Amino acid sequence: MALIAGLLPGAWSPAWAGVVAGHVVFSRGACAALVEGADNAPRLLGSAAEIYEGDLIQTGNDSFVVVEFADKARITIRPNSSFRVQKYATQGAQEAQLVLEKGGISADVGQIAKSNPEKFQVDTPVASIKSQGAGFNARICDKDCDGKAAAEPAKPDNSVARVAQAQGKVEAIGVNGAARDLATGNPLYEKERVRSQGDAYAVLVFRDGSKTTVQPGSELEITAFRYQPGDNANNTQALRLIAGGIRALTGAIGKEKKENVQLVTPVATIGIRGTVFYHHHLPAPLNGSPPGGYTHVNHGGVWQQTGAGTYDLGEGKTGYIAGPNSPQNTLPGEPPFMLRFEQMTPSPENVQVDPALMFNSAPKPGPSLTVQAKGDGKVVVEDKKGGKTELGDKQSSKTNSEGGTAMSNTGDAGDGDGGEDGFQSLPGGGGDPNGGSGSAACS
């Protein structure tokens, strides 16, 4: 750390006469602060040391510092971290602008975050964090925080699809039943299932350029996929909707050999005729709509086959099938529940990706950000592309440098992780681990 390296043992610089944002309630090891651009020297941080607007706070190995701000927020800055207090105004227009440049923090929020959540923000190189009343742990890693490789199948690159966008808790379930969280750029394989929870969704792009949006609360199986350019007779795409809905855009297979693209649903088999369509299956009545399968064609057309026959559905039309042996009924328009779900997710035709780049280029190295919410309220993580992930108590997310975010219901962004830097012994956002406040010779 540049600030710490520039200090002589036992050195102490007088406080700088700036805007006080808070003070130190506990510190251990080598911790220093500096208001950059001002005519002042780095300050070693001990008990009751003041923290100013503009301070860059750095901690060394096995070192940490707990800062209490003027609105009673407490932030623990973990070992080997750089944390910047850009602005902390508690009078008049209250606002907190903080930056985690390196390492990690544990935050218990104060009055600003509780009364005006949009004005309390922690920026990082990967994403921004906003608290809606909840505390959180956050950690930046140049590699996985646990030092292990990503949990993806150990197999050659025979992936058939990749995640173009992911929002919220989306996971892939392998043929052995093992699940892994999905983020932008992650691969998918034949026979795997994609499952979205709550309001989460994912947009998948296949090797032939076809795209599928897996709607919130849905599960889709990639039953079979084969694509070799020019081998029209053998190219195939077979999907099975297990629950919920999908929005689909035809790719090269559908354009060259329409009969080789099929979607199996709980009520019908759907074939395409050069198409953008949305199908959703309701297992129970919803907002006045009876259970069954609903299909709306945005462009092109589809056919739907049940035990009662095969039925065409043209552009702009909506069809309803009650069960696997029922005929298709044409509706006057999309039911309200379909319109609501469409507003929650991007149409696949509006997601611009280059399949050649997605499948032929290696992932770009870069940092990742892991965030875990704690306590009442919510935490919102917003990536650099504008995607937002909302976390509740004990939920965590990981955002990569490409802007993809994967969410899980349990996780650890720092506290109690048993990591090599000793953060498991820290007070997690407030005070002395031994029960009091003070300093353990920050030098």
Side-chain angles (χ1 to χ4, degrees):
M1 295 291 178
L3 300 188
I4 296 168
L7 290 171
L8 295 174
W12 186 273
S13 298
W16 179 67
V19 178
V20 176
H23 66 278
V24 174
V25 295
F26 188 85
S27 63
R28 175 176 294 163
C31 319
L34 172 70
V35 179
E36 293 184 314
D39 185 16
N40 68 109
R43 312 183 314 276
L44 283 170
L45 297 179
S47 177
E50 292 181 324
I51 299 297
Y52 301 97
E53 281 192 348
D55 257 338
L56 172 63
I57 303 171
Q58 293 186 340
T59 57
N61 293 331
D62 300 321
S63 306
F64 68 92
V65 61
V66 183
V67 177
E68 181 174 286
F69 290 91
D71 69 334
K72 302 303 181 182
R74 279 196 176 193
I75 295 180
T76 301
I77 304 164
R78 58 179 293 147
N80 293 310
S81 297
S82 292
F83 181 75
R84 189 181 300 275
V85 183
Q86 282 192 182
K87 183 176 182 180
Y88 216 102
T90 57
Q91 303 297 324
Q94 297 185 346
E95 185 175 7
Q97 295 178 4
L98 309 170
V99 181
L100 177 62
E101 298 180 350
K102 178 183 177 182
I105 60 172
S106 181
D108 291 331
V109 297
Q111 187 59 38
I112 294 177
K114 294 175 181 177
S115 61
N116 198 351
E118 289 300 314
K119 294 300 182 179
F120 183 93
Q121 180 166 314
V122 178
D123 290 319
T124 78
V126 179
S128 63
I129 307 165
K130 291 184 178 181
S131 169
Q132 297 180 351
F136 58 89
N137 302 321
R139 191 173 178 187
I140 299 170
C141 299
D142 291 328
K143 58 181 181 179
D144 282 352
C145 287
D146 57 8
K148 299 177 182 178
E152 293 181 354
K155 56 178 72 173
D157 186 16
N158 55 353
S159 61
V160 300
R162 286 189 178 269
V163 179
Q165 284 187 20
Q167 180 72 42
K169 174 68 171 177
V170 184
E171 57 187 4
I173 300 96
V175 293
N176 61 355
R180 70 183 193 281
D181 292 333
L182 291 176
T184 299
N186 286 168
L188 291 162
Y189 301 90
E190 202 173 50
K191 307 298 183 185
E192 284 194 317
R193 290 173 285 134
V194 178
R195 181 166 59 199
S196 60
Q197 298 185 12
D199 292 339
Y201 69 85
V203 182
L204 317 180
V205 57
F206 289 82
R207 285 186 177 269
D208 72 328
S210 59
K211 288 177 281 190
T212 299
T213 300
V214 181
Q215 295 291 97
S218 300
E219 187 168 342
L220 177 73
E221 178 187 80
I222 305 173
T223 306
F225 187 91
R226 182 188 185 279
Y227 178 66
Q228 288 292 333
D231 190 6
N232 297 344
N234 295 310
N235 289 338
T236 185
Q237 182 184 48
L239 306 176
R240 180 169 71 98
L241 181 66
I242 299 169
I246 67 166
R247 303 166 74 179
L249 169 67
T250 301
I253 298 175
K255 294 174 183 176
E256 297 161 357
K257 197 78 171 176
K258 296 180 176 65
E259 58 268 33
N260 286 7
V261 178
Q262 288 190 353
L263 169 68
V264 175
T265 79
V267 298
T269 297
I270 300 176
I272 60 98
R273 305 194 190 285
T275 308
V276 178
F277 74 96
Y278 173 25
H279 178 86
H280 204 108
H281 179 259
L282 287 184
L286 179 64
N287 296 334
S289 296
Y294 295 79
T295 304
H296 177 76
V297 180
N298 301 89
H299 304 292
V302 302
W303 53 262
Q304 302 194 93
Q305 185 178 59
T306 73
T310 300
Y311 307 90
D312 287 331
L313 191 65
E315 185 170 319
K317 301 296 184 182
T318 303
Y320 165 71
I321 297 174
N325 294 310
S326 302
Q328 172 182 282
N329 294 308
T330 301
L331 302 179
E334 293 181 80
F337 84 87
M338 292 186 78
L339 296 172
R340 181 174 65 85
F341 274 116
E342 285 178 298
Q343 293 174 352
M344 297 171 65
T345 62
S347 174
E349 61 185 326
N350 294 330
V351 178
Q352 302 302 315
V353 294
D354 186 341
L357 293 177
M358 290 203 73
F359 288 98
N360 297 328
S361 61
K364 296 179 182 179
S368 63
L369 172 69
T370 302
V371 179
Q372 182 185 38
K374 56 181 183 177
D376 296 335
K378 299 288 184 181
V379 172
V380 177
V381 179
E382 182 172 352
D383 63 41
K384 298 301 183 182
K385 295 182 179 180
K388 295 182 180 180
T389 301
E390 188 176 274
L391 306 175
D393 185 32
K394 297 182 180 179
Q395 290 184 319
S396 65
S397 68
K398 181 177 180 180
T399 305
N400 61 36
S401 57
E402 297 295 301
T405 300
M407 191 177 94
S408 60
N409 288 323
T410 59
D412 204 330
D415 278 351
D417 65 359
E420 61 184 9
D421 56 14
F423 194 58
Q424 69 274 15
S425 65
L426 303 192
D432 185 346
N434 299 317
S437 64
S439 175
C442 190
S443 60

